[in-house]
């Protein structure tokens, strides 16, 4: 008899929160300050990004409840459009969607920890973290669940504690306007805002992560909407608080163009010694991010392996239902990114490609309702069709500006899609041969 267990709703929420709170919120403010110097507009970036993520979560809640199978966009797009579209989406998720963010979170972990303890090599710290987390999640599910829940709880507590300490201990707050002033309206409609929004949307990436392991969530059709919505709202509040804190305590000039914005903010509040301690603490936050993406991402490879014999070994699971080989493959790709790519190139490219993935999935709710109006839907998107329309409008706006200002990102995305299409036709042909 199988002893397989499932992830409880609290663990599933921990996976989402840990997936979302990671590299983006601790690094992207420095890039946003290159073009935007208004405190109000910078905070609104995170509010708009949160609304976008919430609208996406409301839409995914209906899709996940109506099409309950692990795999995220791979499952949705295969069922809504065509298996080829789903495969390409899964290909993107498997090669970029999770491996790239894992590498970014690990690199950020290495950067913060090496700042706290001089002499440590940031790159090898990133490699070590990925290896340890991989080992933790390829064994028993109970060990995996405990690892995730503990580090997510630590993450939330440390963020709240960091913000409160900064508010209490800062000697001089910065002259930043957090209420709108003349010119802010035009700035929010500018290309700079749209481009900055891609960084913010990347920081919110992960709100959909639980849909990658629907089959492993306890009573998923009933619990999924609550998990998605509550987790996204929690992260939105934490993101606004963090960026408010960074801007309140550190000069914009000091943060501009920098990756380790949390460390710089801590320097201005706690001094060099205190900043080193805070940097060490902030590095710990990235552990649960790498952990959560190591749980969710390989489930895409797993379901691809279930559907295509060419990749059948990726569907192999251990006695506790965990796809160990798929986890090893994703971690291997992440390690490759750490060793050969720059931080900013990974961030821009993966942010662009991931936005394309969710764009097609959210649009799919209109297609699914039209084609299968009688499909059982345990949950229907609240205020439909507003949430998917808002998500599509904001995401498209940001993608168009990125394609104009960074055309190489669009070209790389097109090349990745073309390669995925080639793999799909090869895999389908192999399926036909072995039948």
């Amino acid at each position: 008899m199988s002893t397989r267990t499932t992830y409880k709703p609290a663990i599933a929420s921990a996976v989402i929160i840990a997936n979302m709170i990671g590299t983006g919120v601790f690094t992207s403010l420095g890039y946003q300050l290159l073009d935007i110097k208004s405190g109000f507009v910078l905070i609104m970036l995170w509010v708009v990004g949160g609304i976008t993520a919430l609208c996406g979560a409301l839409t995914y809640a209906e899709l996940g409840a109506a099409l309950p199978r692990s795999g995220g966009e791979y499952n949705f797009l295969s069922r809504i459009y065509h298996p080829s579209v789903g495969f390409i989406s899964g290909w993107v998720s498997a090669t970029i969607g999770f491996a790239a963010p894992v590498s970014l979170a690990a690199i950020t972990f290495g950067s913060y920890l090496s700042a706290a303890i001089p002499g440590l090599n940031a790159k090898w710290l990133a490699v070590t973290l990925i290896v340890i987390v991989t080992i933790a999640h390829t064994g028993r599910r109970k060990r995996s669940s405990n690892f995730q829940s503990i580090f997510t709880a630590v993450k939330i507590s440390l963020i709240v504690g960091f913000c409160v300490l900064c508010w209490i201990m800062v000697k001089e707050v910065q002259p930043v306007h957090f209420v709108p002033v003349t010119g802010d309206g035009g700035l929010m409609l500018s290309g700079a805002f749209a481009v900055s929004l891609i960084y913010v949307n990347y920081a919110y990436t992960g709100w959909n992560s639980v849909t990658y392991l629907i089959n492993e969530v306890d009573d998923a059709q009933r619990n999924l909407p609550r998990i998605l919505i509550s987790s996204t709202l929690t992260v939105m509040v934490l993101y606004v608080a963090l960026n408010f804190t960074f801007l309140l305590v550190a000069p914009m000039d000091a943060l501009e163009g920098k990756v380790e914005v949390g460390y710089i903010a801590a320097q201005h509040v706690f001094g060099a010694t205190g900043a080193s301690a805070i940097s060490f603490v902030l590095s710990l936050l990235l552990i649960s991010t790498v952990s959560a993406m190591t749980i969710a991402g390989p489930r895409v490879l797993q379901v691809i392996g279930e559907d295509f014999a060419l990749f059948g070994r990726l569907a192999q699971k251990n006695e506790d239902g965990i796809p160990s080989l798929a986890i090893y493959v994703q971690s291997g790709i992440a390690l490759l990114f750490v060793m050969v790519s720059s931080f900013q190139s990974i961030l821009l490219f993966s942010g662009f490609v991931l936005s394309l993935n969710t764009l097609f999935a959210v649009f799919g709710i209109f297609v699914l309702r039209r084609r299968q109006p009688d499909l059982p839907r345990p949950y229907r998107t609240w205020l439909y069709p507003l949430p998917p329309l808002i998500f599509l409008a904001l995401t498209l706006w940001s993608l168009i500006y990125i394609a104009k200002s960074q055309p190489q990102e669009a070209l790389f995305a097109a090349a990745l899609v073309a390669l995925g299409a080639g793999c799909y036709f090869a895999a389908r042909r192999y399926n036909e041969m072995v039948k």
Side-chain angles (χ1 to χ4, degrees):
M1 185 174 68
S2 173
T3 58
R4 180 179 171 182
T5 57
T6 58
Y7 291 115
K8 299 297 183 183
I11 302 300
S13 294
V15 168
I16 294 180
I17 293 171
N19 258 284
M20 294 173 74
I21 303 176
T23 308
V25 73
F26 293 110
T27 58
S28 58
L29 179 62
Y31 297 118
Q32 294 159 14
L33 281 165
L34 294 173
D35 298 306
I36 300 174
K37 297 295 193 297
S38 165
F40 171 77
V41 174
L42 288 165
I43 292 299
M44 286 306 298
L45 268 172
W46 295 93
V47 173
V48 171
I51 291 171
T52 304
L54 182 60
C55 288
L58 288 167
T59 307
Y60 267 53
E62 176 173 328
L63 294 176
L67 306 172
R69 186 195 181 195
S70 295
E73 290 85 15
Y74 169 80
N75 170 47
F76 297 155
L77 302 189
S78 294
R79 297 276 297 275
I80 294 171
Y81 300 107
H82 187 271
S84 63
V85 181
F87 182 93
I88 293 171
S89 172
W91 167 266
V92 167
S93 293
T95 55
I96 297 295
F98 283 93
V102 163
S103 67
L104 287 173
I107 290 170
T108 307
F109 165 83
S111 297
Y112 272 96
L113 189 55
S114 60
I117 309 175
L120 295 180
N121 184 284
K123 180 172 288 189
W124 287 110
L125 286 171
V127 169
T128 301
L129 176 61
I130 293 173
V131 171
I132 291 174
V133 170
T134 299
I135 293 171
H137 288 306
T138 49
R140 305 292 295 182
R141 190 183 301 276
K142 183 177 181 181
R143 183 178 70 188
S144 173
S145 298
N146 289 341
F147 188 94
Q148 187 59 53
S149 58
I150 289 170
F151 275 98
T152 302
V154 169
K155 170 179 281 189
I156 294 173
S157 300
L158 290 177
I159 288 174
V160 172
F162 173 77
C163 292
V164 172
L165 278 175
C166 284
W167 299 341
I168 293 173
M169 297 183 66
V170 63
K171 296 177 181 178
E172 183 180 357
V173 298
Q174 300 301 313
V176 180
H177 295 286
F178 292 107
V179 294
V181 297
T182 303
D184 282 352
L187 192 54
M188 287 184 63
L189 298 174
S190 69
F193 189 91
V195 172
S196 293
L197 195 58
I198 202 73
Y199 290 107
V200 173
N201 287 340
Y202 176 83
Y204 277 103
T205 296
W207 53 263
N208 57 336
S209 55
V210 75
T211 63
Y212 289 86
L213 48 141
I214 290 176
N215 291 355
E216 301 173 59
V217 175
D218 185 31
D219 195 5
Q221 287 186 290
R222 182 173 66 86
N223 290 320
L224 191 64
R226 176 166 53 88
I227 292 168
L228 283 163
I229 295 166
S230 62
S231 301
T232 303
L233 283 172
T234 298
V235 172
M236 181 179 174
V237 171
L238 292 173
Y239 276 5
V240 170
L242 263 176
N243 282 277
F244 172 81
T245 301
F246 293 154
L247 292 167
L248 188 72
V249 303
M252 289 185 181
D253 290 345
L255 298 170
E256 185 177 330
K258 299 297 192 301
V259 171
E260 63 279 15
V261 291
Y263 175 72
I264 294 168
Q267 280 184 313
H268 285 80
V269 178
F270 308 107
T273 303
S276 294
I278 294 295
S279 187
F280 175 79
V281 169
L282 293 178
S283 73
L284 300 180
L285 304 184
L286 281 305
I287 296 175
S288 68
T289 304
V290 174
S291 173
M293 288 185 284
T294 302
I295 290 178
R299 271 59 181 185
V300 182
L301 292 171
Q302 175 190 337
V303 294
I304 288 176
E306 291 170 354
D307 293 345
F308 295 93
L310 184 62
F311 304 102
R313 292 189 62 190
L314 295 173
Q316 294 177 358
K317 294 175 281 190
N318 66 16
E319 61 182 6
D320 219 23
I322 292 176
S324 301
L325 182 59
I327 293 175
Y328 289 133
V329 170
Q330 177 181 289
S331 295
I333 298 172
L335 288 170
L336 183 64
F337 275 123
V338 169
M339 299 306 295
V340 304
S341 301
S342 71
F343 184 92
Q344 190 171 12
S345 64
I346 301 172
L347 179 60
L348 280 173
F349 178 48
S350 59
F352 184 87
V353 173
L354 289 174
S355 294
L356 282 176
N357 237 8
T358 53
L359 184 79
F360 281 100
V362 169
F363 183 74
I365 194 173
F366 298 106
V367 179
L368 192 64
R369 284 204 178 195
R370 181 177 179 83
R371 290 182 179 173
Q372 300 184 52
D374 298 325
L375 181 71
R377 291 173 170 83
Y379 171 82
R380 286 179 173 267
T381 299
W382 183 58
L383 294 179
Y384 177 88
L386 281 180
L389 287 175
I390 292 172
F391 181 92
L392 292 171
L394 291 172
T395 303
L396 268 175
W397 178 48
S398 184
L399 285 174
I400 288 169
Y401 273 102
I402 285 290
K404 288 181 177 179
S405 62
Q406 304 281 349
Q408 66 271 21
E409 310 302 336
L411 291 174
F412 283 140
L416 185 67
V417 169
L419 186 57
C423 288
Y424 167 75
F425 288 112
R428 190 183 68 174
R429 184 175 179 81
Y430 187 80
N431 269 10
E432 293 170 352
M433 290 171 58
V434 298
K435 282 184 179 179

